[in-house]
């Protein structure tokens, strides 16, 4: 993994190149490790939008969100945890089934076919 | 008497049966001001339970299945329940009662709810050890102990039931469940003489004879003798029976002795005499339930008892109440045979006419009793198929909506024009709780109930025997409430409809299906459901036949996506298939070595195979490489698919076995492995009726007989355990397999998402009879299709794990981190317990709160 510091987009972000675009299949997700051992889940919707959330399911503590099923509910794109099926908004990380809970979201950008995840 | 506010008065209830309990519930529900304190004095050692369902106790021997809601009155300070201490003295002058243990209790109001006792005819030998009655949990425990004792000393054989009424047949079923061949002895010329007529009785006799119940009608029991562990019964017709035990079930007698001994009047034929408000002649003393003779008449059913409880509760709280009379209609399943009777069964009304359809071929008997002008329904009897009961019973005393004969014609209910719409508002839909059609419609239309569950909650309808539940959903339909069968917000179709769409259109991808027949992008409900349909139909429509091919991989639940079961903590388990539970020492050694080398926690499962826990995603292919190389394959423990076919050791080794149950189990497991289905499928094969493989707890269960195999369907464990029902007897192996093929294919095509076979059969119109007609008599003409589909499935089967190992693309998905393959997941760690590794439970991380 390579970490690059970028000054253009959100200030002070560390961008980590995690994988090639085609390593994430449309409608699927992968897990990646950030330099500080944070685990992120990177998703690609069937419309080819990329999102990243913390990989850790806050309800059970396991690092599994990248293995969840993607979908949408009334237009909101989500991932459903494979553990107990709670859904998280891909854009914000907030849980659709319990509005007191959310997971951290990470910015994602594509550069030359490579997926980069930003962390503060 | 109406108590004044302030200090509560004391209501003493003698007897804690179902009716006494209902009284306490009714008083406590309405008496919000706490004007009554209730003391319940009970003879039985345990809180009230569902006596009506007593026979089901013999299915599981788990008394908790009979528990009634709030039976222990926990948390209610105004109810005191004293168990195991019968009332022995009643002093209506001093207004006290005294129990056997000497506890004296004063009362302001006293209610007898002492029920009945079984009647034991004074036959010589009726009091020998080995003679039982059938009324309480303790009675069943005693019968079971005797059956087990006799099994241990002489091999289980036969039991005799004295009495061929409703309870006698229930007792016969319980004996059969205990492995005894029942003999039923009835004095009257037919079974269930009170409820049904000769024609119905004759059919019932034939149907139960098919179920290993020998019926002796028109004869008395003369004498019972005991010789060591055997019992001999001599019948009036000269027959001698050699049995292990005898159960008396020859009617009940009201328990009026306590009241009688303390000066209360009893009716001529027994029962504590009360008026139409359930009051005895002594002020503030009432009697309800089976012990009460309301205006001289006793009622042996629970519903009339409940209405007595309600009217006494009303009076205690200052309202009026009169017994409305009782509906003695009954509908039951006896030994799996439907029997229903209602209204004037015996056509005793002046000028009454009978219309009978007796179909010996399909095994149904239906009779309607109508008025002399054939316009008004007076009563009826249904045997073999009682599906019209719910619609006919409420019509008693009313104009018939169609010609009687057309109503009785096959599936007449609908075609003959008797629908819920034909019922008047006053018609009682739920007889257990006396709820009318009008009340249910009001709950739907005015109170906004839009599901069966919400109707139950608001009206109580459907919370007793449950037989009216189908009517509740018909009423919802007729009020225009759509009960959604939609899979989810993306598909308005049911699973079965989606199956048909995919089958007919040969659409092979989710994205095409949702764009043509759904909306949005899908979700965690519809995606796995469609993935399962695509997998089942793969051999027929040409879906890529590996469930992880292309887009299909993203539809799968995590278990299917990684071909392993996800555990808490995020690791996975590995379960190789061990067909029928038979395994060579060599394969066992490979499993042991794999477990040791990868440090996997090892456990024998409830499904006769071995589960290896604690593998990480990236270890899965390495583990499976070793297993596949040793000749093993996926056990689909992760899939909604065939899990295991459990077997007993069978005739090869077992002294009792009559067929090779292991061989059959292996054949079945290999045949159906990999079949994707609405829910998981489990099966069992036992080598004889001792049933060591617990086949009747499975979706399909095969039990060997001298002549072949009995096939049972629709069993499961889980939260709602069900015993499988007998579908067909004495099948040869080929017919057995063909029947199971069709059973499974029909299930896979028509069941709902996550619906196991038992609820599928229950919700099927016509139930088991319909299922039998479809798959054994080809009533829908689809059997060829089902057979062909199964043949395709069997021919196309390939091991999923081998498929992954042979495909680098699929293999690449089994990595922990896309940017650091092989790096361990830092959240997973293990410790040691009983010499094996177990996961360290995760502290739940701090969540971002909004
Ligand atoms: C491993 C095992 C327990 C054991 O250590 O013995 C087990 C483990 C699980 N069972 Fe089970 N069941 C196991 C035998 C049973 C049995 C007994 C049997 O099969 O003879 C039953 C009752 C019989 C039945 O299913 O009718 C059983 C009834 C359930 C149910 C309730 C099903 C129902 O219809 O209500 C679930 C939940 C479900 O499937 O939705 C369940 C679900 C599960 C799951 C898959 C829960 C989950 O999703 O994580 C467990 C997976 C454990 C894992 O990570 O590997 N398990 N489970 C058994 C595996 C058997 C096998 O070899 O495949
Ligand atoms: C196997 C079986 C199947 C049945 N199936 C059906 C059915 O399908 N449909 C139907 O409607 N009905 C059915 N019944 C009948 C139904 O169970 C009874 O009508 C109902 O239970 C009567 O309730 P109860 O409270 O009046 O009497 P019980 O349930 O008999 O309760 C009376 C209680 O009072 C106690 N008692 C007696 N004397 C004293 C005393 N002196 N002091 C303290 N306690 C005392 C008894 O121990 C008992 O617990 C069935 C009954 C049986 C046994
Ligand atoms: S069920 Fe099987 S193991 Fe059990 S007694 Fe019969 S043949 Fe033997
Ligand atoms: S008729 Fe028994 S619950 Fe409604």
């Amino acid at each position: 993994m390579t970490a690059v510091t970028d000054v253009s987009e959100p200030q002070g972000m560390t961008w980590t190149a995690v994988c090639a675009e085609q390593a994430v299949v449309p409608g699927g997700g992968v897990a990646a490790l950030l330099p500080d051992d944070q685990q992120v889940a990177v998703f690609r919707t069937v419309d080819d939008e990329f999102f990243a959330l913390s990989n850790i399911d806050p309800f059970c503590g396991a690092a599994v969100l990248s293995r969840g099923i993607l979908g949408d509910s009334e237009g909101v794109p989500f991932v459903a945890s494979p553990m107990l099926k709670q859904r998280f908004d891909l854009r914000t990380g907030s849980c659709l089934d319990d509005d007191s809970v959310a997971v951290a979201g990470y910015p994602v950008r594509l550069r030359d076919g490579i997926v980069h995840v930003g962390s503060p | 008497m109406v108590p004044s506010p302030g200090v509560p008065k004391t209501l003493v209830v003698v007897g804690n049966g179902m009716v006494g309990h209902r009284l306490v519930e009714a008083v406590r529900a309405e008496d919000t001001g706490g004007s009554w304190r209730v003391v319940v004095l009970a003879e039985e050692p345990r809180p009230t339970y569902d006596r009506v369902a007593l026979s089901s106790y013999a299915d599981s021997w788990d008394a908790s299945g009979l528990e009634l809601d709030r039976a222990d009155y926990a948390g209610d300070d105004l109810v005191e329940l004293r168990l195991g201490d019968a009332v022995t003295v009643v002093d209506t002058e001093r207004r006290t009662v005294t129990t056997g243990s000497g506890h004296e209790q004063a009362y302001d109001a006293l209610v007898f709810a002492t029920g009945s006792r079984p009647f034991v005819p004074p036959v010589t030998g009726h009091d020998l050890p080995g003679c039982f009655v059938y009324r309480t949990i303790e009675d069943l425990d005693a019968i079971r102990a005797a059956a087990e004792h006799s099994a241990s000393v002489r091999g289980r054989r036969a039991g005799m039931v004295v009495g061929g009424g409703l309870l006698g047949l229930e007792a016969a079923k319980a004996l059969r469940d205990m492995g005894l061949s029942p003999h039923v002895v009835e004095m009257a010329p037919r079974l269930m003489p009170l409820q049904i007529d000769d024609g119905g009785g004759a059919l019932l006799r034939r149907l139960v004879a098919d179920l290993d119940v020998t019926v002796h009608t028109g004869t008395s029991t003369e004498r019972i003798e005991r010789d060591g562990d055997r019992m001999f019964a001599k019948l009036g017709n000269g027959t001698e029976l050699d049995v292990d035990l005898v159960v008396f079930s020859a009617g009940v007698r009201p328990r009026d002795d306590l009241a009688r001994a303390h000066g209360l009047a009893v009716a001529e034929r027994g029962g504590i005499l009360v008026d139409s408000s359930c009051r005895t002649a002594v002020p503030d003393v009432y009697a309800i339930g089976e012990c009460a003779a309301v205006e001289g008449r006793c009622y042996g059913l629970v519903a009339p008892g409940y209405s007595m409880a309600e009217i006494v509760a009303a009076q205690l709280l200052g309202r009026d109440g009169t017994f409305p009379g009782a509906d003695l209609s009954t509908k039951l399943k006896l030994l799996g045979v439907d029997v229903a009777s209602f209204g004037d069964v015996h056509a005793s009304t002046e000028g009454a006419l009978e219309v009978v359809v007796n179909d010996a071929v399909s095994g149904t008997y239906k009779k309607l009793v109508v008025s002399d002008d054939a316009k008004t329904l007076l009563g009826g009897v249904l045997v073999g198929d009682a599906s019209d009961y719910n619609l006919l019973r409420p019509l008693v005393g009313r104009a018939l909506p169609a010609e009687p004969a057309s109503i009785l014609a096959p599936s007449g209910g609908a075609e003959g024009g008797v629908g819920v719409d034909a019922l008047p508002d006053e018609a009682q839909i739920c007889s257990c709780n006396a709820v009318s059609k009008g009340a249910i419609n009001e709950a739907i239309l005015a109170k906004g109930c839009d599901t069966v569950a919400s109707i139950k909650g608001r009206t109580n309808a459907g919370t007793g025997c449950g037989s009216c539940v189908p009517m509740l959903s018909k009423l919802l339909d007729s009020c225009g409430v759509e009960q959604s069968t939609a899979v989810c917000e993306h598909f308005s179709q049911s699973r079965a409809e989606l199956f048909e769409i995919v089958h007919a259109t040969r659409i092979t991808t989710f994205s095409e299906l949702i764009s043509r027949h759904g909306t949005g992008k899908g979700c965690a409900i519809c995606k796995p459901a469609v993935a399962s349909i695509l997998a089942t139909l793969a051999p027929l429509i040409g879906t890529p036949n590996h469930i992880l091919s292309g887009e299909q991989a993203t539809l799968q639940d995590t278990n299917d996506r990684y071909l392993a079961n996800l555990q808490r903590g995020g690791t996975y388990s590995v379960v190789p298939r061990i067909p029928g539970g038979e395994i060579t020492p060599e394969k066992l050694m490979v499993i042991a070595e794999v477990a040791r080398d990868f440090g996997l926690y090892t456990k024998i499962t409830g499904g006769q195979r071995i589960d290896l826990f604690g593998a990480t995603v990236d270890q899965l292919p390495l583990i499976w490489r070793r297993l596949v190389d040793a000749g093993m394959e996926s056990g689909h423990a992760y899939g909604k698919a065939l899990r295991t076919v459990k077997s007993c050791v069978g005739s090869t080794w077992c002294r009792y076995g009559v067929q090779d149950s292991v061989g059959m189990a292996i054949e079945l497991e290999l045949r159906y492995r990999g079949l994707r289905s609405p829910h998981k499928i489990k099966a069992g094969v036992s080598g004889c009726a001792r049933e060591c493989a617990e086949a009747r707890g499975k979706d399909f269960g095969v039990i060997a007989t001298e002549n072949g195999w009995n096939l049972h369907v629709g069993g499961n464990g889980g939260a709602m355990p069900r015993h499988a029902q007998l579908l067909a007897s004495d099948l040869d192996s080929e017919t057995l397999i063909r029947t199971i093929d069709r059973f499974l294919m029909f299930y896979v095509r028509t069941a709902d998402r996550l619906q196991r076979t038992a609820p599928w059969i229950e919700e099927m119109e016509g139930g088991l009879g319909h299922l039998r007609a479809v798959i054994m008599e080809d009533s829908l003409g689809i059997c060829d299709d089902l057979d062909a589909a199964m043949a395709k499935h069997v021919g196309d089967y390939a091991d999923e794990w081998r498929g992954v190992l042979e495909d680098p693309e699929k293999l690449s998905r089994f990595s922990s981190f896309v940017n650091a393959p092989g790096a361990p997941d830092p959240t997973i760690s293990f410790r040691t317990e009983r010499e094996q590794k177990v996961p360290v439970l995760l502290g739940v991380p701090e969540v971002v709160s909004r």
Side-chain angles (χ1 to χ4, degrees):
Chain A
M1 70 193 118
T2 41
V4 285
T5 313
D6 191 299
V7 279
S8 61
E9 293 198 16
Q11 287 297 311
M13 280 282 162
T14 307
W15 290 95
T16 308
V18 295
C19 62
E21 196 180 334
Q22 65 271 23
V24 198
V25 297
V30 296
L33 264 188
L34 297 188
D36 57 356
D37 260 7
Q38 286 185 65
Q39 299 194 41
V40 289
V42 178
F43 301 104
R44 176 178 183 176
T45 67
V46 285
D47 308 323
D48 278 336
E49 275 191 281
F50 282 79
F51 296 98
L53 300 177
S54 162
N55 194 27
I56 296 183
D57 173 345
F59 291 95
C60 64
V64 293
L65 286 188
S66 64
R67 305 178 215 153
I69 290 181
L70 300 188
D72 69 342
S73 178
E74 289 160 8
V76 177
F78 67 77
V79 59
S81 169
M83 197 64 81
L84 299 171
K85 307 288 186 277
Q86 288 92 351
R87 298 165 302 165
F88 298 90
D89 187 334
L90 288 178
R91 303 164 309 184
T92 63
S94 55
C95 177
L96 304 181
D97 301 294
D98 180 345
D99 56 19
S100 70
V101 174
V103 295
Y106 296 78
V108 185
R109 69 182 193 198
L110 289 175
R111 286 277 190 281
D112 304 326
I114 302 293
V115 183
H116 296 256
V117 173
S119 54
Chain B
M1 59 165 300
V2 190
S4 48
V7 190
K9 307 226 168 193
T10 303
L11 164 65
V12 171
V13 183
V14 186
N16 183 223
M18 296 175 76
V19 173
H21 175 61
R22 172 59 72 97
L23 171 70
V24 180
E25 290 261 276
V27 169
R28 291 300 301 128
E30 235 186 285
D31 182 23
T32 42
S35 56
W36 288 100
R37 182 173 81 91
V38 188
V39 180
V40 183
L41 301 173
E43 174 192 63
E44 287 188 69
R46 59 175 88 232
T48 185
Y49 50 89
D50 189 351
R51 199 181 310 285
V52 169
L54 182 65
S55 296
S56 69
Y57 178 52
D59 292 342
S60 61
W61 300 108
D62 175 7
S64 65
L66 298 180
E67 273 166 22
L68 294 178
D69 284 350
R70 298 174 295 276
D72 55 1
Y73 312 113
D76 188 341
D77 296 340
L78 284 178
V79 184
E80 183 190 335
L81 172 61
R82 293 179 67 95
L83 293 171
D85 195 8
V87 173
T88 49
V89 180
V90 176
D91 186 339
T92 52
E93 298 278 308
R94 291 177 51 232
R95 294 180 160 245
T96 59
V97 297
T98 309
T99 65
S101 74
H103 174 80
E104 189 181 88
Q105 176 67 53
Y107 70 80
D108 295 295
L110 175 66
V111 180
F112 285 91
T114 48
S116 316
R117 72 170 81 255
F119 169 64
V120 178
V123 178
T124 311
H126 67 84
D127 46 4
L128 287 170
C131 290
F132 299 93
V133 294
Y134 194 79
R135 179 131 190 125
T136 63
I137 290 181
E138 286 70 25
D139 291 337
L140 262 75
D141 284 337
I143 295 171
R144 179 193 190 196
E148 282 178 356
H149 171 74
S150 73
S152 70
V153 295
R154 57 185 213 130
R156 203 167 283 189
R157 307 189 341 153
M160 162 166 155
V161 177
V162 180
L166 187 159
L167 288 188
L169 291 174
E170 284 205 19
K173 169 181 184 296
L175 292 187
R176 208 190 59 159
D177 288 347
M178 293 178 214
L180 295 166
S181 297
H183 288 261
V184 173
V185 180
E186 168 60 50
M187 285 259 265
R190 60 169 180 270
L191 292 172
M192 295 188 67
L194 295 181
Q195 290 88 356
I196 60 179
D197 61 349
D198 282 335
L203 175 64
L204 180 60
R205 176 187 184 128
R206 212 191 81 206
L207 294 176
V208 301
D210 287 348
L211 301 165
D212 187 30
V213 177
T214 312
V215 178
H216 310 262
T217 48
T219 180
S220 59
T221 307
E222 298 236 298
R223 196 170 67 238
I224 299 167
E225 284 163 10
R226 196 172 172 92
D227 177 9
D229 284 309
R230 310 165 73 169
M231 305 194 73
F232 294 98
K234 179 134 200 269
L235 307 188
N237 64 6
T239 308
E240 282 220 34
L241 299 176
D242 170 5
V243 295
D244 297 343
L245 54 87
V246 177
V247 178
F248 284 99
S249 191
V252 294
R253 295 291 180 266
R255 294 187 68 172
D256 56 12
D257 29 351
L258 180 66
R260 190 196 296 257
H262 295 91
L264 291 161
V266 294
E268 206 175 313
R269 301 176 60 189
I272 304 170
L273 191 60
V274 292
D275 66 8
S276 62
S277 297
C278 294
R279 296 177 297 208
T280 66
V282 178
D284 302 321
V285 178
Y286 305 80
I288 57 176
E290 287 196 347
C291 67
V294 185
E295 299 190 301
R297 173 151 189 208
C298 289
Y299 297 88
L301 292 172
V302 75
Y306 279 173
S307 61
M308 295 177 213
E310 302 284 348
I311 65 180
V312 169
Q315 292 169 78
L316 293 172
L317 297 167
R319 287 185 284 110
D320 284 342
T322 359
F323 188 60
D327 178 1
L328 299 182
S329 306
T330 30
K331 174 182 169 199
L332 13 118
K333 226 183 193 56
L334 287 167
L335 295 143
V337 178
D338 273 352
V339 180
S341 73
F342 49 96
D344 180 7
V345 172
H346 301 297
S348 41
T349 311
E350 172 113 17
L353 304 173
E354 297 189 352
V355 184
V356 177
V357 175
N358 191 355
D359 182 345
V361 179
S362 72
T364 57
Y365 175 89
K366 300 181 178 186
K367 174 173 93 172
L368 292 188
V369 178
V370 297
S371 59
D372 48 7
D373 59 359
K375 294 231 155 69
T376 309
L377 180 65
L378 299 175
V381 176
L382 306 169
V383 177
D385 170 13
S387 48
D388 292 337
Y389 169 81
N390 286 324
L391 285 165
L392 290 171
R393 183 188 49 80
L395 280 177
V396 170
R398 300 175 192 280
L400 276 169
E403 290 290 312
S406 71
I407 292 174
L408 287 181
S411 72
E415 287 154 30
V418 194
V420 274
D421 294 333
L423 299 179
D425 268 1
E426 316 83 78
Q428 210 175 68
I429 298 294
C430 175
S431 53
C432 288
N433 294 291
V435 189
S436 66
K437 173 179 165 187
I440 294 168
N441 276 352
E442 183 187 307
I444 299 171
L445 298 171
K447 305 279 165 37
C449 293
D450 56 2
T451 57
V452 169
S454 59
I455 298 179
K456 282 184 176 173
R458 185 165 278 277
T459 66
N460 258 345
T463 57
C465 68
S467 72
C468 61
V469 168
M471 292 284 278
L472 303 182
S473 91
K474 291 209 176 96
L475 283 170
L476 280 166
D477 285 344
S478 89
C479 290
V481 177
E482 207 161 305
Q483 297 167 73
S484 177
T485 53
V487 167
C488 66
E489 67 174 273
H490 304 98
F491 286 99
S492 60
Q493 302 86 344
S494 67
R495 178 192 174 278
E497 287 163 347
L498 287 181
F499 194 102
E500 285 316 316
I501 291 173
V502 174
H503 191 197
T505 59
R506 304 192 168 234
I507 290 175
T508 58
T509 63
F510 177 84
S511 38
E512 190 182 348
L513 186 69
I514 197 165
S515 70
R516 292 198 15 210
H517 298 277
T519 55
K521 310 266 155 49
C523 65
I525 296 171
C526 58
K527 283 183 168 180
V530 171
S532 162
I533 293 171
L534 293 174
T536 314
L537 283 171
L540 292 174
I541 62 175
T543 323
N545 87 341
H546 196 284
I547 65 162
L548 298 183
S549 300
E551 185 199 71
Q552 279 190 79
T554 65
L555 308 178
Q556 309 292 358
D557 253 326
T558 189
N559 284 5
D560 276 314
R561 179 149 167 221
Y562 292 94
L563 306 177
N565 291 49
L566 175 70
Q567 277 112 33
R568 61 193 306 165
T571 60
Y572 287 86
S573 69
V574 169
V575 187
R577 186 168 296 293
I578 301 183
E582 184 186 85
I583 185 164
T584 60
E586 286 69 27
K587 283 189 177 153
L588 265 182
M589 286 196 287
V590 173
I591 293 178
E593 283 163 11
V594 165
R596 183 195 55 206
D597 297 350
F598 290 88
L600 303 173
Y601 168 89
T602 308
K603 182 179 179 301
I604 311 284
T605 72
Q608 294 190 334
R609 47 193 188 169
I610 298 170
D611 203 340
L612 310 174
F613 293 82
T616 55
V617 175
D618 42 309
Q619 285 178 328
L620 288 171
L622 306 173
I623 292 170
W624 276 103
R625 163 74 63 208
R626 300 252 305 256
L627 295 172
V628 168
D629 284 349
M632 281 176 266
E633 62 173 9
S634 165
H636 296 101
Y638 47 81
K640 300 292 178 233
L642 180 81
R643 293 284 170 86
T644 62
V645 182
K646 197 168 164 177
S647 79
C648 76
V649 62
S651 59
T652 320
W653 291 93
C654 177
R655 288 179 295 157
Y656 298 111
V658 292
Q659 308 282 353
D660 175 13
S661 49
V662 182
M664 179 54 79
I666 294 173
E667 182 169 356
L668 294 173
E669 183 156 346
L670 296 182
R671 188 167 178 83
Y672 305 124
R673 64 188 163 176
L675 178 68
R676 285 295 191 293
S677 49
H679 206 315
K680 58 191 176 192
I681 302 170
K682 299 184 177 183
V685 182
S686 281
C688 81
R690 285 168 192 76
E691 247 285 72
C692 298
E694 299 170 306
R696 288 186 59 210
K698 305 294 179 206
D699 293 284
F700 63 93
V702 177
I703 302 177
T705 67
E706 299 280 350
N707 310 317
W709 308 96
N710 283 354
L711 174 59
H712 301 257
V713 293
N716 58 245
M720 292 267 283
R722 305 281 166 76
H723 261 169
Q725 295 172 276
L726 183 67
L727 182 77
S729 319
D730 288 336
L731 303 176
D732 58 50
S733 301
E734 195 188 320
T735 316
L736 173 77
I737 291 171
R738 190 173 58 237
T739 310
I740 301 173
D741 283 358
R742 294 173 179 177
F743 169 71
L744 290 178
M745 269 298 162
F746 190 44
Y747 166 63
V748 164
R749 288 196 174 180
T750 60
D752 216 345
R753 194 181 74 86
L754 296 185
Q755 183 177 47
R756 285 193 70 178
T757 53
W760 171 66
I761 296 170
E762 262 157 46
E763 281 174 26
M764 188 182 295
E765 220 162 292
L768 192 66
H770 176 69
L771 176 65
R772 197 178 279 125
V774 173
I775 65 176
M776 303 198 66
E777 293 146 27
D778 202 9
S779 62
L780 299 180
I782 58 172
C783 284
D784 284 349
D785 221 31
L786 299 178
D787 292 346
M790 187 58 86
K792 271 294 235 177
H793 163 77
V794 175
D796 277 31
Y797 168 81
D799 174 28
E800 283 164 5
W801 263 109
R802 181 182 288 274
V804 168
L805 298 174
E806 287 169 354
D807 179 351
E809 211 276 319
K810 293 191 179 86
L811 261 182
S812 71
R813 304 229 189 91
F814 288 80
S815 84
S816 48
F817 297 106
V818 67
N819 57 346
D825 174 350
T827 63
I828 297 177
S829 59
F830 300 97
R831 62 193 171 80
T832 303
E833 195 177 289
R834 293 187 296 277
E835 296 167 52
Q836 291 205 64
K837 86 169 186 193
V838 292
V840 175
L841 290 189
L842 296 166
V844 173
E846 236 174 89
V847 295
V848 187
S849 274
R850 306 199 164 184

